[in-house]
Amino acid sequence: MQKFSELNYISPDYEKEKAALLKSKEGMANASSYENFRDLWLSRKKADQYLDMLTDLAYIRFLTDTSDTFYKNTVHTDSIEEPQIRLLRKECDDVLLDSLYIEGIKAEFGDKIIQDMRIRRSLSGENAVSLQLEENRLCIEYNKLVSSGKSKEARSSEIDDLYNSMINVRTNLAKSLGFDSYIEMAYRIQGRIDYGKEAISSFRSQVLDVITPACAVFEKERPQDNSVPIGAVGNIVHTVKNIFHEISQESSDFINFIYDYELFDVESRLNKRPFYCCCMLSHYKAPFIICDLKANGNDALMFIHELGHGFAFYTAARSQKLFEYHRSTVSINEVHSKTMELLAYPYLELIVGEHKDNFRRNHLYEALRYLPYRCAIDEFEHKVYENTTLTKSQRCELWSEIEQKYMPWRAGSNHESVKRGTSWYSQPHLFNAPFSYIDYNFAQMSAFEFYGRSKINYQETWKDYLAFCSKGGSTNYLNLLAAGKLVNPFSVGAVADICAPILNELYG
Ligand SMILES: [Zn+2]
């Protein structure tokens, strides 16, 4: 592989791509043996992986220089062609699902790939297409509205109308696909195969019992923010490399790879999107990290967070045969990144010097105080999609009740504005990715667990974390947790057990 800046971009010939997909679909349907079928399937996947890499490469180059008209146009073309390509890929998947050779594929590559194809199939249907387009349109409208510069009050009723339409469209969509409600459909979209509503509801009540009272105490002596200035961005880049060299041999090899191939763009610039993300170039088994670093401590940890995603992907890509297994769902992917932040704690002095103890405390508390908020959002969504006829004021009243339950410290002066509905509108997950926000809480639990264990035995914890990363997204949520020897966060008492060392550290 060359350095990122030297990677050659060749515009895809979409007509050729579509013809090739049709050809492999036919080939697979008429395969003469398992070996023949398998080879066709794998070579199609290789072509998919290459095309996805081109799309991602163009997208990265666009994000890091939005004034580049070539990549701007390329990203536009890719977005127009994408639905067609996706449809053809799904048709190939359908051939596999209906094939005699499915058992052979399962035996060789695991059940997860088949399960995911079945999920995608259950989420698509002829009658659903127009509703899905309408859902996309409403999401675009929402995003336009929130970035329009209008005040929260001014856009409040427009946002509520959009939310109303989204709830209706999604409910109809779910019904058209045979689900009882959109909640069941959303769980399927999240890939929640091995746990359901009861597990999540029990998790929320554990957070309410354990975390809400703890936060109520800490809120009284609310820590300051963590934007400790730490010199130039160049220093962060240098220091973070040193930290990865310290953590382990594997993290050291990884960071050398990232720096040698220039797989990051972290400086803040004109014409660069102020984004934090980790893109994955599966074809090269290489991540690419985009940050918008200001010279402060928090940003250094955000860079480490994105590198955590990158490390997991880099590791899984070298252990898993299928690129679909190189990453997982948010509930797992965010364990990778959030844990890396916490595993960097012993080296905080390199970043913030004498501020390290206060900095750690603030950072840890920030992670804790999001738990009740995300549960509130999740409970709110469940109620909203269970009662799809709620009016705007009923929804605001509902949010106000739920917010007071999970975050009683928020009640008071701004309570009236909460009732008027200017608060939860700013949580984009409610609009763009319903029922997904609580996944960050599940991930936080596992990250806390790894951290608690690392304080007792850092080396052993690193080994478990490495095993967990190697598994990528090759199996279901609970199996992946088991690979890292992690507790099921839904089991009785799990939240209290996992958070005990965190609360002790914060009380200490
Ligand atoms: Zn992340």
Side-chain angles (χ1 to χ4, degrees):
M1 176 185 167
Q2 299 110 303
K3 289 182 176 181
F4 182 81
S5 57
E6 294 161 4
L7 289 180
N8 194 17
Y9 177 82
I10 307 154
S11 299
D13 181 337
Y14 276 108
E15 292 318 306
K16 257 191 184 166
E17 296 290 344
K18 288 176 213 166
L21 274 160
L22 277 174
K23 203 174 157 210
S24 52
K25 179 180 140 188
E26 263 170 45
M28 280 162 60
N30 300 311
S32 52
S33 65
Y34 172 68
E35 284 68 29
N36 180 216
F37 183 89
R38 170 192 184 279
D39 291 349
L40 284 166
W41 183 63
L42 286 177
S43 67
R44 180 183 71 77
K45 294 177 78 57
K46 217 172 165 186
D48 288 353
Q49 205 174 354
Y50 188 73
L51 180 63
D52 289 351
M53 181 276 293
L54 289 176
T55 311
D56 290 340
L57 185 57
Y59 190 56
I60 292 168
R61 290 192 171 152
F62 167 69
L63 285 177
T64 51
D65 181 6
T66 51
S67 67
D68 188 316
T69 47
F70 174 77
Y71 286 113
K72 194 178 179 177
N73 293 336
T74 303
V75 167
H76 181 67
T77 309
D78 291 345
S79 71
I80 291 173
E81 297 288 352
E82 195 265 349
Q84 282 254 25
I85 295 288
R86 190 157 33 116
L87 187 70
L88 286 166
R89 285 181 183 176
K90 201 197 136 277
E91 287 175 13
C92 292
D93 289 349
D94 285 342
V95 172
L96 197 165
L97 288 177
D98 299 329
S99 162
L100 293 172
Y101 303 120
I102 188 168
E103 292 305 322
I105 296 287
K106 255 194 219 173
E108 195 173 346
F109 299 96
D111 195 21
K112 183 73 170 53
I113 185 90
I114 305 294
Q115 200 185 81
D116 289 347
M117 284 179 199
R118 291 215 166 103
I119 288 179
R120 284 197 292 276
R121 186 189 254 187
S122 72
L123 293 170
S124 63
E126 255 176 56
N127 300 338
V129 176
S130 61
L131 291 166
Q132 275 158 339
L133 287 173
E134 177 61 5
E135 187 191 11
N136 285 346
R137 191 190 66 77
L138 292 168
C139 290
I140 294 168
E141 283 295 306
Y142 168 79
N143 293 326
K144 261 196 216 158
L145 191 58
V146 289
S147 53
S148 65
K150 277 191 193 172
S151 75
K152 278 186 177 179
E153 282 73 17
R155 66 193 190 208
S156 155
S157 81
E158 279 175 89
I159 289 202
D160 195 76
D161 288 344
L162 276 176
Y163 196 46
N164 228 354
S165 308
M166 283 176 175
I167 294 164
N168 287 330
V169 167
R170 287 177 176 140
T171 302
N172 292 337
L173 179 58
K175 298 244 159 87
S176 83
L177 292 169
F179 294 97
D180 287 341
S181 79
Y182 181 69
I183 302 174
E184 278 72 29
M185 180 174 171
Y187 275 45
R188 191 72 67 86
I189 295 172
Q190 303 301 321
R192 291 173 183 162
I193 290 293
D194 45 354
Y195 61 96
K197 277 199 278 188
E198 293 71 28
I200 294 181
S201 155
S202 127
F203 175 81
R204 287 196 309 259
S205 54
Q206 289 190 55
V207 170
L208 186 62
D209 290 346
V210 179
I211 308 298
T212 291
C215 288
V217 172
F218 295 127
E219 280 297 314
K220 288 187 192 135
E221 33 152 336
R222 188 122 148 67
Q224 310 86 32
D225 77 305
N226 251 356
S227 41
V228 186
I230 51 169
V233 167
N235 291 351
I236 297 185
V237 171
H238 182 72
T239 307
V240 165
K241 187 179 188 185
N242 287 342
I243 292 176
F244 274 75
H245 283 162
E246 291 290 331
I247 292 176
S248 72
Q249 185 58 50
E250 294 82 10
S251 59
S252 177
D253 294 344
F254 161 74
I255 206 75
N256 289 342
F257 176 78
I258 295 291
Y259 281 49
D260 288 350
Y261 292 98
E262 300 170 352
L263 294 164
F264 61 98
D265 182 335
V266 294
E267 61 171 5
S268 190
R269 286 194 303 278
L270 193 69
N271 295 328
K272 180 183 159 186
R273 285 271 172 92
F275 243 47
Y276 285 83
C277 68
C278 177
C279 308
M280 316 285 177
L281 302 169
S282 271
H283 174 78
Y284 295 115
K285 301 184 179 180
F288 187 90
I289 284 133
I290 302 179
C291 291
D292 180 51
L293 294 188
K294 313 283 186 307
N296 70 54
N298 250 351
D299 277 16
L301 280 201
M302 283 166 86
F303 183 28
I304 293 175
H305 175 103
E306 298 306 334
L307 284 165
H309 284 304
F311 176 77
F313 165 74
Y314 168 94
T315 307
R318 281 155 183 76
S319 348
Q320 298 297 330
K321 284 188 219 166
L322 300 179
F323 72 87
E324 288 86 346
Y325 293 169
H326 294 173
R327 38 189 349 195
S328 182
T329 54
V330 172
S331 52
I332 291 293
N333 295 335
E334 283 294 314
V335 182
H336 303 141
S337 51
K338 288 178 189 292
T339 302
M340 195 62 98
E341 291 179 49
L342 301 175
L343 291 177
Y345 274 8
Y347 311 101
L348 280 181
E349 194 167 356
L350 297 172
I351 303 177
V352 289
E354 53 172 353
H355 302 288
K356 68 175 164 74
D357 291 332
N358 254 342
F359 183 90
R360 192 183 65 237
R361 207 180 140 78
N362 289 351
H363 184 261
L364 206 53
Y365 182 61
E366 268 305 296
L368 191 79
R369 67 187 282 268
Y370 265 101
L371 297 171
Y373 173 66
R374 294 198 194 99
C375 285
I377 290 283
D378 191 63
E379 186 163 318
F380 176 70
E381 289 192 280
H382 279 84
K383 296 250 159 73
V384 162
Y385 283 91
E386 275 160 14
N387 307 292
T388 55
T389 53
L390 293 183
T391 62
K392 175 186 175 177
S393 66
Q394 284 171 322
R395 273 198 292 267
C396 291
E397 194 68 39
L398 172 67
W399 170 253
S400 166
E401 263 167 43
I402 295 176
E403 188 187 65
Q404 278 197 63
K405 181 167 99 174
Y406 284 95
M407 296 165 288
W409 55 89
R410 277 198 180 187
S413 58
N414 59 2
H415 184 59
E416 277 312 305
S417 80
V418 170
K419 275 194 172 174
R420 284 199 307 274
T422 50
S423 161
W424 53 271
Y425 287 165
S426 48
Q427 190 54 54
H429 296 78
L430 284 170
F431 301 86
N432 292 330
F435 296 95
S436 70
Y437 198 42
I438 200 161
D439 278 13
Y440 291 85
N441 274 6
F442 309 153
Q444 190 63 64
M445 284 299 119
S446 300
F448 278 161
E449 196 184 345
F450 271 135
Y451 174 59
R453 272 155 51 184
S454 79
K455 291 206 287 184
I456 298 162
N457 189 335
Y458 194 92
Q459 308 297 337
E460 274 300 307
T461 308
W462 175 263
K463 267 196 223 159
D464 293 340
Y465 172 71
L466 186 65
F468 173 70
C469 290
S470 308
K471 283 274 181 187
S474 59
T475 176
N476 289 338
Y477 178 68
L478 295 176
N479 294 336
L480 290 172
L481 292 188
K485 300 183 193 151
L486 292 161
V487 167
N488 173 354
F490 311 129
S491 55
V492 180
V495 172
D497 287 348
I498 293 170
C499 293
I502 309 298
L503 296 178
N504 283 339
E505 189 173 329
L506 286 169
Y507 282 122

